[in-house]
Amino acid sequence: MRLRHRIAKRTFDITVSLVGCVTLLWLMALAWIVASIDTRQNGLFIQMRVGRDGRLFPLLKIRTMRTVAGWTSTVTTGRDPRITTMGRLLRRTKLDELPQLLNVLMGDMSLVGPRPDVPGFADRLQGADRVVLTLRPGITGPATLRFRDEEALLAAQPDPERYNREVIWPEKVRLNRQYAERYTFRADLVFILRTLMPRGARMPSGVSGK
């Protein structure tokens, strides 16, 4: 990504995330209260994720899961018993992702980019695939949109962790590497628009990420 692209992308991130934090603070607070009551824990969930250049950062989310004895998998399926009733609603509406606007504002994330993973995936990329680590992780992006129904897809597998490791993860790497190598600001705008549009809705005529 060229320097002018990085500057434009970061300027856009700061502007949108600042406006989003100011206008949606009330909704974040409401979601936090609901999650705190629902899970009986702090409604703000903080987890270390792999960021740009492989550095770890604290990802912010609204808590949607409770602790279940003996359940330690980092792969979440649609049948995961840890997800609470309200948590399913928060995840379906993506309200649990709102605090990540703060991550964007602080510079840990971008609006568009590879989703930040727990250690053990992105930090182990090799060769040309490591170009993915030159980007700030994003709230949305090509892989996020491709696997919008990831939890349902994993729930249908006899071995979700293996399927994630051998099928989903390699495809995410391919999509994210392609995004990094073919970056355009126009593509970012299209990914954001596609994220905000209802599922099944068609993009306006003449709009594409190319």
Side-chain angles (χ1 to χ4, degrees):
M1 189 185 299
R2 297 179 180 178
L3 179 60
R4 62 185 178 88
H5 288 151
R6 291 188 181 278
I7 293 174
K9 185 176 178 65
R10 183 60 188 146
T11 300
F12 182 72
D13 283 344
I14 292 173
T15 302
V16 174
S17 61
L18 181 59
V19 172
C21 286
V22 171
T23 59
L24 298 175
L25 182 60
W26 68 273
L27 189 54
M28 291 187 211
L30 179 60
W32 170 73
I33 293 171
V34 170
S36 296
I37 296 173
D38 186 45
T39 64
R40 298 182 181 180
Q41 300 180 68
N42 185 345
L44 183 64
F45 177 69
I46 303 175
Q47 185 180 51
M48 300 306 293
R49 298 288 181 96
V50 178
R52 187 178 177 185
D53 298 324
R55 293 191 297 266
L56 297 180
F57 74 95
L59 178 82
L60 307 177
K61 294 185 71 172
I62 296 298
R63 189 181 297 275
T64 60
M65 303 170 73
R66 64 168 66 91
T67 301
V68 175
W71 200 283
T72 59
S73 174
T74 58
V75 175
T76 306
T77 74
R79 297 196 300 262
D80 197 312
R82 295 172 296 180
I83 304 176
T84 66
T85 301
M86 286 304 302
R88 293 186 187 282
L89 175 62
L90 291 169
R91 294 169 81 94
R92 187 167 61 249
T93 58
K94 301 301 181 183
L95 291 177
D96 63 318
E97 309 282 0
L98 283 180
Q100 287 164 49
L101 288 172
L102 293 169
N103 282 126
V104 175
L105 189 60
M106 292 185 293
D108 295 322
M109 293 179 64
S110 176
L111 294 172
V112 181
R115 281 299 295 166
D117 278 293
V118 295
F121 287 90
D123 51 327
R124 296 184 181 178
L125 290 174
Q126 299 295 322
D129 289 340
R130 289 188 66 83
V131 69
V132 174
L133 290 175
T134 66
L135 303 172
R136 287 185 175 90
I139 295 178
T140 189
T144 303
L145 291 168
R146 168 68 178 80
F147 291 103
R148 269 185 168 179
D149 299 313
E150 181 176 336
E151 290 184 3
L153 179 61
L154 287 170
Q157 308 305 318
D159 189 340
E161 291 199 28
R162 180 177 180 181
Y163 189 83
N164 177 67
R165 184 176 62 253
E166 297 181 357
V167 179
I168 293 180
W169 172 245
E171 177 62 7
K172 285 182 176 180
V173 172
R174 186 189 71 80
L175 291 170
N176 290 326
R177 179 177 168 182
Q178 184 180 75
Y179 168 77
E181 294 173 343
R182 303 180 184 179
Y183 176 80
T184 66
F185 183 67
R186 177 185 175 87
D188 272 9
L189 296 179
V190 171
F191 287 132
I192 292 172
L193 180 59
R194 287 177 58 193
T195 300
L196 296 175
M197 290 175 62
R199 295 191 184 189
R202 292 188 176 185
M203 293 290 289
S205 178
V207 176
S208 71
K210 299 180 179 180

